Amino acid sequence: MADSTPEIDRETYWRTLMQRTLILLVVWFITGFVLSIFLAETLNAINFGGIPFGFWMAQQGSIFVFVSLVLIYAIATGQLDKQAGVEEDGDATSAPGAAH
Amino acid sequence: MSILGWTTFWVIATFSLYIGIAIWSRVTSTKGFYVAGQGVPTVANGMAVGADWMSAASFISMAGLVSFMGFDGSVYLMGWTGGYVLLAILLAPFLRKFGEYTVPDFVGKRYYSNYARVIAAIAAIFVSFTYVAGQMRGVGVVFSRFLGELVEPLAAGLGVEVITIGVVIGMAIVATYAVLGGMKGITYTQVAQYCVLIVAYTIPAVAIGYSMTGSPIPQVAIGEVLPALDGLQQELGLDMYSGPFANLSMLNVFAITFVLMVGTAGLPHVIVRFYTVKTVKSARWSALWAIVFIAILYTVAPAVAMFSRYEILQSFSDLGAMGMLESPRTSWVQTWAATGLIETGQWSEGMSANALLSTIDRDIIVLATPEIANLAPWVVGLVAAGGLAAALSTASGLMLVISSSLAHDVYGEIINPEASEQKRLKVGRGIIFVAIIGAGLLGIYPLGFVAEVVAFAFGLAAASFFPVLVLGIFWKRCNKEGAIAGIVTGLSFTFVMIILMRAHVALAEFGITEPVFDSFLGINAQGIGLIGMILNFIVTYIVTMSTPPPPQKVQDLVEQIRYPRTLTKDELSEAASS
């Protein structure tokens, strides 16, 4: 890993990761709280395949969004690891306790 | 075969499978016992997390609560899935990089203090205990309905209720395989349990959805069922099922959802799962698989809730309460009335739909749904086996946390650091026995419905662990004084509040029937962890800023856990100087 120069340094890696984490958290909050709770009554006026939209978001839609967020994180962070040269060597990661 | 015959068949078949797996994967080392030697494949780990996670609360209790609460039941649906987003992006990969055995391990090392570690171990025990109490109650409910006929004479002979015998049987089973297999046994048993519980949960939903709407996908079928249900609700003079905030205020819906999400990310038995995979990358993917497997059940649950409510209200509308007591179409009423979980004694001619619903215990809905829809006896029995799988898989995971917290973190590190591996394992196994007995007692004297009791555990986890774990990873400056003060404040505030608001439920027999108060700033016992968590964050921040920063070694550790591969000494000192 040290043999090829990474595209970005570790500081940029961490900053980028934090920015992305923040974006994901904002989407998480909007989906779970703003659309599904605070605005639920208003959104219920919209008919979504027979179901009031606020209700659908709270009991179905939000869960689909949550799954997508975790998927996006796993893919995007994996790529970021490679760019910064901080991915693990094959299957061998640090053993327990190796971090300290 | 009858329902009793099929239930007995499924229970024996699935239990033999679990115990077989536990024996096959017996372990003797500490690492195998607590983190399965870190050799569990990602998808299997995801399933194990799913089974560990989806307890009696998810399986037996949740759809019933949603069925009775309508829109407001979303607190459980969103709360218990949305937390995985927090877990996956804020905690799991970093804690895997840290790579120890338990959550108190992390707290102890990150906050360079054995006090912090013991306090974390105590918090872990509190949380896990509350949670496991809910599971035992779930096991009791299943046994009292489906195997009640078998144990009835025994219960009468001993002068106890059927549910008590059910709880005791559940305790014995959890003890057997938690002690035998350790984490490896539990992990592979949980994979099997996931398969059993998801099949058992979806089959009735698919069958009912198909017969009601012609669509075999429950998530689609609700598009037709909901309008019909809302129409029926109006006809019977009830609020719209899909209308928000009929049972809980918007503030409580928000607070409870938030607490359940944050609590999910702070639950020691879930977090420890991410120590069992090989790499940081696989920790991220394990989190994904876990939420996928969980989402399958959680998007079906609202359908089960609607189907059963529709059937109940339709029967009520057609037959009236007295008709339901006698009609062969509603034979489930008689069978469940026998367990005491429907109080048909209060039913009368001309009673309102609301009054009828209030006599039905919410915890029976999922188990009764196949009977309500008149499905074949083998389906009814399978659902019972699924319910047991859900309760027992979670209980065994929790037992492991309780035993590791005491044997590894308290006994092994502090009381007797010289103890050999064998000795620690022995202590761990002994503690499991004691913990199971304690949990069983709480199952016999419950504090509320299964999902409610479990929600208290989340409040405790949210108020104690979540802030110190997140700050421990993302804020290098956070120190031990802050963390200890934060955990103690959050945990004790939440615990005292729950006791003040809920103790009367368990103590009714002793003449205490009123809570000291109902709510705090308008937030009820299930949501109170939100305040506890906020207090924890504030106290941790203030105390940290007025005491010295953590030593360089700890700051290096925090730097280290932020990146998947191990950083070299040079890289660390470079980071420290920048």
Side-chain angles (χ1 to χ4, degrees):
Chain A
M1 292 174 303
D3 40 22
S4 65
T5 320
E7 293 166 45
I8 52 173
D9 59 19
R10 280 190 299 114
E11 214 173 300
T12 318
Y13 170 86
W14 186 248
R15 209 178 41 243
T16 314
L17 187 59
M18 287 305 92
Q19 281 164 357
R20 290 181 182 174
T21 303
L22 197 67
I23 295 169
L24 292 175
L25 286 178
V26 169
V27 177
W28 165 82
F29 190 86
I30 292 176
T31 313
F33 298 99
V34 179
L35 296 181
S36 304
I37 298 176
F38 303 139
L39 298 180
E41 213 146 16
T42 322
L43 292 176
N44 264 357
I46 304 168
N47 187 317
F48 186 81
I51 304 175
F53 187 65
F55 179 84
W56 185 82
M57 272 309 288
Q59 302 214 340
Q60 299 276 310
S62 57
I63 300 176
F64 298 133
V65 175
F66 295 150
V67 173
S68 320
L69 291 178
V70 179
L71 176 67
I72 292 167
Y73 180 80
I75 295 173
T77 316
Q79 287 171 351
L80 193 62
D81 285 353
K82 284 206 185 88
Q83 286 174 0
V86 295
E87 80 271 40
E88 292 131 312
D89 232 348
D91 275 351
T93 195
S94 37
H100 43 83
Chain B
M1 245 194 318
S2 66
I3 289 179
L4 179 67
W6 274 110
T7 309
T8 316
F9 167 77
W10 285 118
V11 170
I12 291 175
T14 52
F15 279 35
S16 317
L17 176 70
Y18 309 149
I19 291 173
I21 293 172
I23 293 170
W24 163 73
S25 54
R26 271 204 72 157
V27 288
T28 45
S29 74
T30 311
K31 194 172 167 189
F33 195 76
Y34 292 129
V35 290
Q38 286 166 335
V40 179
T42 311
V43 178
N45 198 54
M47 274 193 194
V49 178
D52 201 347
W53 173 245
M54 289 186 289
S55 62
S58 296
F59 189 101
I60 299 175
S61 191
M62 186 176 67
L65 283 168
V66 175
S67 184
F68 281 80
M69 295 166 74
F71 177 95
D72 299 347
S74 315
V75 296
Y76 300 108
L77 298 165
M78 286 197 287
W80 286 335
T81 49
Y84 270 85
V85 177
L86 299 178
L87 189 62
I89 71 179
L90 294 178
L91 298 175
F94 307 106
L95 292 174
R96 172 60 194 89
K97 174 64 189 296
F98 172 75
E100 278 287 345
Y101 292 147
T102 67
V103 174
D105 261 337
F106 174 80
V107 174
K109 296 250 162 61
R110 167 62 183 84
Y111 294 108
Y112 48 100
S113 151
N114 268 340
Y115 280 115
R117 186 185 185 132
V118 171
I119 289 166
I122 292 169
I125 291 164
F126 256 82
V127 170
S128 304
F129 223 85
T130 315
Y131 205 137
V132 90
Q135 310 311 314
M136 290 300 175
R137 158 92 179 156
V139 175
V141 171
V142 175
F143 271 105
S144 46
R145 162 62 186 89
F146 294 103
L147 303 173
E149 289 169 51
L150 292 180
V151 297
E152 182 85 74
L154 180 63
L158 294 169
V160 293
E161 284 181 60
V162 173
I163 199 165
T164 308
I165 306 268
V167 172
V168 173
I169 295 174
M171 285 156 58
I173 293 161
V174 174
T176 312
Y177 61 70
V179 170
L180 262 186
M183 188 56 127
K184 193 170 170 217
I186 287 178
T187 301
Y188 286 104
T189 310
Q190 283 172 337
V191 171
Q193 282 164 333
Y194 177 80
C195 299
V196 170
L197 80 86
I198 200 70
V199 169
Y201 203 83
T202 44
I203 284 182
V206 169
I208 300 168
Y210 184 73
S211 77
M212 282 172 93
T213 68
S215 165
I217 303 168
Q219 290 90 335
V220 175
I222 57 174
E224 261 180 70
V225 177
L226 182 66
L229 176 57
D230 267 340
L232 193 55
Q233 295 258 123
Q234 269 182 322
E235 218 174 275
L236 295 168
L238 300 165
D239 292 324
M240 294 279 275
Y241 184 80
S242 56
F245 319 126
N247 300 281
L248 292 167
S249 65
M250 188 195 279
L251 176 66
N252 270 314
V253 170
F254 167 73
I256 297 172
T257 307
F258 202 93
V259 160
L260 296 182
M261 288 191 189
V262 171
T264 297
L267 281 182
H269 77 286
V270 176
I271 294 173
V272 76
R273 284 293 168 187
F274 296 97
Y275 292 167
T276 61
V277 293
K278 269 203 169 119
T279 59
V280 173
K281 193 176 162 202
S282 50
R284 293 184 199 130
W285 286 95
S286 269
L288 175 71
W289 285 115
I291 189 175
V292 167
F293 289 129
I294 291 164
I296 296 173
L297 188 141
Y298 274 66
T299 52
V300 170
V304 172
M306 278 178 225
F307 297 161
S308 56
R309 189 178 178 97
Y310 182 82
E311 295 277 357
I312 293 172
L313 290 180
Q314 190 64 56
S315 321
F316 176 74
S317 162
D318 293 348
L319 304 167
M322 299 326 275
M324 282 173 82
L325 276 181
E326 284 147 26
S327 167
R329 185 178 136 192
T330 50
S331 60
W332 60 274
V333 173
Q334 294 109 53
T335 48
W336 282 95
T339 63
L341 296 169
I342 304 179
E343 290 165 49
T344 46
Q346 298 173 22
W347 287 19
S348 60
E349 200 62 60
M351 76 192 299
S352 72
N354 247 337
L356 177 108
L357 290 174
S358 71
T359 62
I360 303 175
D361 189 296
R362 279 103 179 108
D363 285 346
I364 73 172
I365 291 298
V366 169
L367 297 169
T369 294
E371 294 170 89
I372 293 173
N374 289 313
L375 298 182
W378 70 265
V379 181
V380 181
L382 181 63
V383 172
L388 288 174
L392 296 175
S393 59
T394 305
S396 53
L398 290 163
M399 282 304 149
L400 206 67
V401 167
I402 294 172
S403 96
S404 64
S405 294
L406 280 169
H408 178 75
D409 295 309
V410 179
Y411 178 80
E413 293 287 323
I414 290 149
I415 298 176
N416 185 4
E418 306 295 308
S420 67
E421 277 214 344
Q422 293 302 324
K423 176 88 184 167
R424 285 187 202 190
L425 273 184
K426 219 167 147 187
V427 172
R429 287 173 168 152
I431 288 166
I432 289 182
F433 268 115
V434 178
I436 285 171
I437 292 170
L441 286 175
L442 278 171
I444 296 168
Y445 303 101
L447 292 167
F449 296 114
V450 176
E452 287 180 335
V453 173
V454 164
F456 300 150
F458 285 79
L460 295 171
S464 56
F465 284 117
F466 184 74
V468 294
L469 294 178
V470 168
L471 292 176
I473 294 165
F474 296 95
W475 190 34
K476 274 188 193 167
R477 174 68 174 79
C478 191
N479 67 11
K480 73 171 174 195
E481 290 83 359
I484 293 173
I487 296 186
V488 170
T489 311
L491 185 68
S492 43
F493 171 83
T494 309
F495 182 71
V496 169
M497 282 293 167
I498 291 174
I499 293 294
L500 292 178
M501 292 184 207
R502 296 299 297 201
H504 66 285
V505 179
L507 299 178
E509 287 177 40
F510 305 102
I512 301 168
T513 51
E514 290 291 318
V516 180
F517 44 85
D518 271 331
S519 61
F520 179 80
L521 302 175
I523 297 173
N524 71 21
Q526 291 185 71
I528 198 65
L530 175 66
I531 308 284
M533 181 196 77
I534 294 171
L535 284 176
N536 185 336
F537 270 116
I538 295 173
V539 168
T540 308
Y541 179 78
I542 293 175
V543 175
T544 293
M545 292 315 279
S546 48
T547 42
Q552 189 56 45
K553 210 183 112 213
V554 170
Q555 302 201 25
D556 286 349
L557 167 67
V558 178
E559 183 70 16
Q560 186 66 268
I561 62 178
R562 291 177 175 182
Y563 308 94
R565 74 174 163 84
T566 312
L567 301 182
T568 60
K569 282 225 165 59
D570 290 348
E571 286 175 313
L572 282 177
S573 49
E574 184 194 316
S577 57
S578 63

